[in-house]
Amino acid sequence: MGGWVDLDINQGDDIMNLNKLFMVNIGVAGLFGLGFVFAPEAMLAPYGMSAETISASVIMSRLLGASNIGYAILFWFIMNAPASETKIEVAKAVSIAFVVSCLVSIAVQMSGEIGPLGWSTVALYAIFAAAYGYFGFVKGAED
């Protein structure tokens, strides 16, 4: 199988596939980060939030964007680092962070403050949580 979450892979391929996951996350975090830093209103509008809520959310959105840019930079550096236990530990930490983000996103989505597009955020966090969890907890425990 050639997917980035391939269940039949050896040690060398694990790191290569984890690196591919980091690469995908660099793109996602980088794009969202830049969008939220430079155009927070445009990033929030498709989610069906009221103008008042968007206006009140600009500062926090920019801070979220700055954090996403920081994560993209972190993933860039760790992706280019040699294979190590550190990569596995980063995958574990990121997986836990994505689980928390997913739960928060579900709570926000259930509150009705955000339109149906908000479920895409839940899905994105869940996918990243599962993928990093796989590399951090499943494959890391086997080595």
Side-chain angles (χ1 to χ4, degrees):
M1 302 184 117
W4 56 270
V5 180
D6 194 343
L7 298 179
D8 187 28
I9 49 183
N10 63 37
Q11 170 72 10
D13 289 337
D14 278 349
I15 298 303
M16 178 57 85
N17 284 325
L18 181 55
N19 283 341
K20 289 178 185 175
L21 179 58
F22 284 133
M23 189 179 301
V24 168
N25 210 162
I26 289 166
V28 173
L31 288 174
F32 274 94
L34 291 171
F36 278 112
V37 166
F38 295 110
E41 296 92 344
M43 293 293 291
L44 293 171
Y47 288 93
M49 299 170 68
S50 70
E52 182 179 308
T53 301
I54 290 173
S55 178
S57 302
V58 168
I59 293 171
M60 293 306 293
S61 295
R62 286 194 168 123
L63 290 171
L64 171 68
S67 293
N68 273 322
I69 291 169
Y71 286 126
I73 294 167
L74 169 68
F75 298 144
W76 177 263
F77 287 132
I78 196 79
M79 179 184 74
N80 290 308
S84 68
E85 188 63 26
T86 302
K87 282 190 172 184
I88 302 303
E89 299 302 322
V90 168
K92 288 177 183 178
V94 172
S95 174
I96 293 167
F98 276 122
V99 167
V100 172
S101 296
C102 184
L103 294 174
V104 169
S105 294
I106 290 170
V108 170
Q109 191 63 34
M110 298 304 288
S111 75
E113 287 186 46
I114 296 180
L117 186 61
W119 288 110
S120 67
T121 302
V122 172
L124 194 61
Y125 284 138
I127 290 166
F128 277 124
Y132 280 111
Y134 170 75
F135 286 112
F137 294 104
V138 177
K139 294 307 273 185
E142 291 180 5
D143 295 337

